[in-house]
Amino acid sequence: MLSQNIIDKIVRQDILVDELLDEELALFCQTANLAYRSGNPIISNEDYDFIYLAKLKNKEPNNPLLKSIEPEGRAFAEEKVLLPELMLSIDKAYSWNKMSKWIERLEKSAMLIGLDLNSIQIKATPKLDGFAGFDDGNRLYTRGDGKKGSDISRVFKRGLCVFKDSGRGLGAGEIVVKKSYFEKYLAHSFEYPRNFQSSLIKEKALDEQAQKAIIDKGALFVPFIKLPIWSGFVTELVAKFEEIIAKVLVMVDFDVDGVVFEVINIDLKTQMGANRKFHRWQIAFKENKDIVQVKVLSVIPQVGRSGKITPVAEIEPTLLSGATIVRVTGHHYGLVKEQGLGIGSVVELTRSGLVIPKIISVLKPMPVDIPDNCLSCGKLLVWESDFLVCVNHKNCPAQIIGRITYFFKVLANNDGLGIATIEKLYAHNIRSVSQIYTLNVERLMAIGFGEKTSINLISQLSRSINEKIEDWRFLAAFGMHRMGLGNCENLLKSYRLNDIFDLTLEQLTNIDGFAELTAQVVIQELVSIVDEYNQIYQYHFNLDTTVFTKDLQILMHELFDKRIVFTGNMSYPRNEMKKHAKSVGIKISTTMSTKIDYLVIGRKVGQKKIQDAEELGVVVMTEADYLSKITIQ
Ligand SMILES: [Zn+2]
């Protein structure tokens, strides 16, 4: 038998027919046939006949399955038709690791075409878990094998509407059922929306339920270009990845099984291109949905760098989505108390997209053990809302070691300064990052590090100073409360690093992401780090200055750095137009040549002038086009 997981992946075309082993293909055909006969088809008849069964016949003409299935054959008269456009599959990432490799690739491609890495723009849309189709305005096709599909225009004739009452002909999309509608009207008859979705396109007359879903606009065709989007620069994607995922996953009232990221910059898309299976400028990040039940062996309190005590549940070693899990965080002691996460409790686990295992729920609660004292310094713990906290921030060893380790981890341009090294330094009276930068090989050897290790540590320290890093990363390394990578970057998009210590509450609250409460906390935090900051800053770290938002907007239009010539009568005085163009980074010329990118024409421009420009390979655009392209949204 195939696992439900594999079957789902085949149905969703995460695994394409060509990727199946012969045995899997045969088993899938059998499963699909059984599902069809039980009245809950998992794939369309067309896909079944023309893709899977055809492939099986081709590969194993003597497979006994064919003989048992064929008499029941339900082949359609209709032929497979060529799709108006190739419908490629989307490359998938199940981990941040794979996402970051994708980002590396697009940065490499950007460099090849001289595109500034800070100008790479990305958009993210929810990945719908529906039935893929292509609407060319005339016909609707199934995705089929990506090249040929079936004509299922009948779905529109049945009254299927396009999402947001958009018109026809918007290209690729999915037939989906609204989640709210499914739960209200269909959940008692179908296990998943997917089972229902395929019944909408079947050839025989629709049953009442399906027809009603179409009329009620509970079922829709959603063209991808009509989906709501998140968009931003690649640096934001890196800094706020989890936040973006969480946001995009809940953007629509449809079943979503991931987030599709793609490059916006046209030149970069062209440069990256496609391989036979998918576009290189696009990737789908998908969350793992595997779930297991497991018994908790013990719950260990861990002291974080901020003094918060995190309960860590040690569990029976369990295989989950391809990795063995032995511990999982219980988040905070408020939750431990509330859920009964004690020794012997049974919990349900999953792995979120970032491969971190997480507890979905406690199935069988047990009495819990709440610690009274800090495991590291022995001080009495206090409750701060849901959190147990060691408030001995200045002297608690675990907190000091945590903060120093965090600094080097966030800089991410050094090796060997992990927790074991920092613990050893702590044992020899090193209490801060600035003290670490005063060390030399002799001192390290006196502490007990070997010669080679000592030399390496010193060279890693100078590497951390000399290797270029973003200034917001440097600031985030200080581990201030409410000042993660994202907020640090936001702050430095408006103010220079050395000016932030003088900011007023009002200036801070005017920045995106800094509500009043956050701003208050940040001001206190800045005061608390300023001395250590000054000590460290004097080593002249190689900092890359964040571009101010107001400057960045200038670079966001597609005419940036292009050479243009104005001609003809325009709505604004020529001098003003030139001055404005220069201020937004456009290069102005007065004579035409092959080096010119655009000729912007006003009224009364001779046909000859336009022809000459086109012969030189210069793109001609009207004044209205020009103005629309430099307007910053
Ligand atoms: Zn403590």
Side-chain angles (χ1 to χ4, degrees):
M1 274 302 285
L2 288 175
S3 73
Q4 190 57 43
N5 191 18
I6 298 278
I7 293 171
D8 287 346
K9 282 181 178 170
I10 301 172
V11 169
R12 290 200 301 259
Q13 300 184 329
D14 282 353
I15 301 177
L16 298 177
V17 64
D18 290 336
E19 296 167 321
L20 292 175
L21 303 173
D22 292 359
E23 190 192 357
E24 287 173 332
L25 176 65
L27 284 171
F28 181 72
C29 287
Q30 194 179 33
T31 309
N33 192 46
L34 281 173
Y36 168 79
R37 279 198 262 176
S38 70
N40 286 318
I42 53 175
I43 53 171
S44 73
N45 292 332
E46 293 94 328
D47 282 354
Y48 176 76
D49 285 334
F50 290 105
I51 300 179
Y52 295 98
L53 215 53
K55 189 87 185 173
L56 185 65
K57 272 183 204 167
N58 187 357
K59 280 186 143 178
E60 293 182 65
N62 295 321
N63 189 306
L65 264 170
L66 282 172
K67 291 192 177 63
S68 63
I69 294 172
E70 237 171 358
E72 310 268 338
R74 44 182 210 277
F76 281 77
E78 55 198 72
E79 294 266 313
K80 285 260 138 172
V81 285
L82 211 57
L83 295 175
E85 259 175 42
L86 210 56
M87 284 180 80
L88 294 182
S89 173
I90 303 179
D91 194 11
K92 285 163 200 84
Y94 287 93
S95 64
W96 171 247
N97 191 23
K98 175 130 190 221
M99 275 302 294
S100 60
K101 280 188 182 139
W102 179 70
I103 292 168
E104 271 170 32
R105 282 201 300 276
L106 59 95
E107 288 181 339
K108 258 186 210 158
S109 303
M111 276 193 275
L112 286 176
I113 56 167
L115 177 70
D116 179 12
L117 298 190
N118 284 323
S119 317
I120 301 176
Q121 285 182 280
I122 304 288
K123 75 169 183 181
T125 50
K127 185 175 191 301
L128 302 180
D129 190 8
F131 193 92
F134 191 97
D135 176 17
D136 67 358
N138 187 21
R139 298 205 270 183
L140 180 70
Y141 308 84
T142 64
R143 183 164 168 269
D145 64 358
K147 293 188 199 92
K148 285 180 169 184
S150 309
D151 184 344
I152 51 161
S153 309
R154 55 177 172 272
V155 197
F156 280 129
K157 295 198 185 89
R158 286 167 179 163
L160 187 75
C161 287
V162 180
F163 183 46
K164 292 194 167 166
D165 291 318
S166 319
R168 292 278 313 272
L170 294 174
E174 304 231 352
I175 296 173
V176 287
V177 179
K178 280 186 187 163
K179 257 196 321 202
S180 52
Y181 186 89
F182 183 84
E183 273 150 31
K184 205 162 169 193
Y185 299 106
L186 301 164
H188 59 277
S189 332
F190 298 89
E191 201 175 347
Y192 301 107
R194 240 194 343 272
N195 305 128
F196 174 71
Q197 279 150 8
S198 57
S199 78
L200 294 167
I201 62 157
K202 64 186 178 186
E203 222 186 6
K204 61 180 182 186
L206 291 191
D207 57 34
E208 216 173 288
Q209 251 177 343
Q211 192 59 56
K212 185 171 162 14
I214 286 176
I215 300 305
D216 291 349
K217 296 189 185 176
L220 291 164
F221 178 71
V222 181
F224 295 138
I225 60 166
K226 286 287 165 188
L227 283 171
I229 65 169
W230 170 90
S231 70
F233 292 98
V234 76
T235 43
E236 289 172 67
L237 170 63
V238 173
K240 298 182 200 163
F241 185 65
E242 286 187 77
E243 218 177 288
I244 296 164
I245 293 284
K247 204 170 173 178
V248 176
L249 283 175
V250 296
M251 273 179 170
V252 287
D253 181 22
F254 305 117
D255 261 9
V256 169
D257 66 344
V259 174
V260 177
F261 290 95
E262 60 183 69
V263 172
I264 294 177
N265 314 60
I266 302 283
D267 296 348
L268 183 53
K269 281 170 83 168
T270 313
Q271 167 71 23
M272 295 186 82
N275 62 19
R276 275 178 49 224
K277 274 168 129 184
F278 34 71
H279 298 291
R280 291 200 186 87
W281 42 263
Q282 188 183 46
I283 197 162
F285 182 81
K286 303 191 77 173
E287 295 214 75
N288 257 308
K289 290 207 174 139
D290 289 358
I291 292 171
V292 289
Q293 295 177 5
V294 59
K295 195 169 175 183
V296 173
L297 302 176
S298 63
V299 179
I300 314 280
Q302 266 186 6
V303 190
R305 63 188 167 83
S306 65
K308 279 180 185 160
I309 313 295
T310 305
V312 177
E314 311 220 303
I315 53 170
E316 286 174 333
T318 304
L319 194 67
L320 180 60
S321 307
T324 304
I325 312 289
V326 292
R327 63 181 65 87
V328 56
T329 175
H331 300 291
H332 54 68
Y333 270 95
L335 213 61
V336 167
K337 236 170 45 173
E338 185 193 309
Q339 298 188 318
L341 183 68
I343 295 173
S345 58
V346 176
V347 296
E348 208 171 31
L349 286 188
T350 186
R351 283 175 81 192
S352 71
L354 300 178
V355 304
I356 301 159
K358 70 175 180 213
I359 297 175
I360 307 170
S361 62
V362 178
L363 299 175
K364 180 185 155 205
M366 290 299 276
V368 296
D369 182 19
I370 308 285
D372 294 319
N373 300 87
C374 175
L375 238 67
S376 180
C377 69
K379 285 266 162 25
L380 211 59
L381 298 174
V382 295
W383 283 100
E384 284 179 11
S385 70
D386 275 336
F387 290 90
L388 259 187
V389 180
C390 167
V391 291
N392 182 18
H393 302 305
K394 285 227 151 59
N395 298 311
C396 177
Q399 293 182 49
I400 295 169
I401 291 166
R403 285 196 292 268
I404 299 177
T405 315
Y406 184 78
F407 182 87
F408 291 105
K409 189 176 133 201
V410 173
L411 287 193
N413 60 357
N414 56 83
D415 279 317
L417 291 144
I419 191 153
T421 304
I422 308 296
E423 274 175 346
K424 193 160 173 176
L425 291 171
Y426 181 91
H428 289 82
N429 291 317
I430 303 292
R431 296 289 183 269
S432 67
V433 171
S434 55
Q435 271 179 296
I436 291 181
Y437 279 102
T438 65
L439 295 172
N440 54 30
V441 173
E442 292 70 38
R443 181 76 209 285
L444 284 171
M445 286 174 66
I447 284 172
F449 290 98
E451 189 181 0
K452 227 174 124 184
T453 310
S454 303
I455 292 172
N456 180 51
L457 284 176
I458 295 301
S459 86
Q460 289 300 327
L461 285 174
S462 43
R463 186 182 148 209
S464 74
I465 291 170
N466 297 322
E467 208 169 288
K468 200 171 198 171
I469 48 164
E470 305 92 336
D471 55 0
W472 48 262
R473 182 179 295 281
F474 177 73
L475 181 60
F478 288 85
M480 283 181 285
H481 200 40
R482 304 268 169 109
M483 288 296 276
L485 295 171
N487 264 359
C488 285
E489 191 181 6
N490 279 345
L491 178 58
L492 296 185
K493 273 179 179 172
S494 299
Y495 293 97
R496 291 279 173 248
L497 189 54
N498 287 329
D499 297 333
I500 61 173
F501 294 95
D502 301 320
L503 291 179
T504 63
L505 190 64
E506 197 192 344
Q507 285 171 314
L508 263 180
T509 43
N510 283 331
I511 300 170
D512 189 25
F514 290 79
E516 176 113 16
L517 211 67
T518 303
Q520 280 170 1
V521 173
V522 170
I523 286 195
Q524 287 170 15
E525 291 283 291
L526 283 166
V527 171
S528 77
I529 67 152
V530 68
D531 290 340
E532 174 75 347
Y533 171 88
N534 285 330
Q535 296 272 344
I536 298 174
Y537 187 77
Q538 62 169 351
Y539 290 98
H540 300 291
F541 281 74
N542 186 0
L543 301 180
D544 199 359
T545 308
T546 302
V547 182
F548 282 166
T549 307
K550 59 180 168 60
D551 297 337
L552 202 60
Q553 279 174 349
I554 291 174
L555 313 178
M556 272 170 71
H557 62 86
E558 60 184 279
L559 298 182
F560 175 73
D561 215 26
K562 296 281 192 274
R563 281 176 195 280
I564 68 168
V565 170
F566 289 116
T567 189
N569 295 334
M570 305 210 179
S571 345
Y572 301 93
R574 182 63 49 85
N575 272 347
E576 258 178 48
M577 290 199 68
K578 284 187 178 174
K579 216 164 107 186
H580 178 262
K582 281 182 193 163
S583 78
V584 295
I586 296 173
K587 292 173 181 155
I588 302 293
S589 284
T590 45
T591 49
M592 292 295 292
S593 73
T594 51
K595 288 193 181 131
I596 303 300
D597 298 295
Y598 296 97
L599 175 67
V600 179
I601 53 169
R603 292 179 303 277
K604 295 187 184 160
V605 177
Q607 202 54 41
K608 175 82 171 67
K609 216 165 193 172
I610 293 174
Q611 265 173 20
D612 287 351
E614 283 171 348
E615 270 164 31
L616 289 169
V618 176
V619 178
V620 177
M621 70 166 80
T622 63
E623 185 194 355
D625 276 351
Y626 168 78
L627 291 174
S628 74
K629 283 191 198 304
I630 56 168
T631 305
I632 295 152
Q633 274 94 28

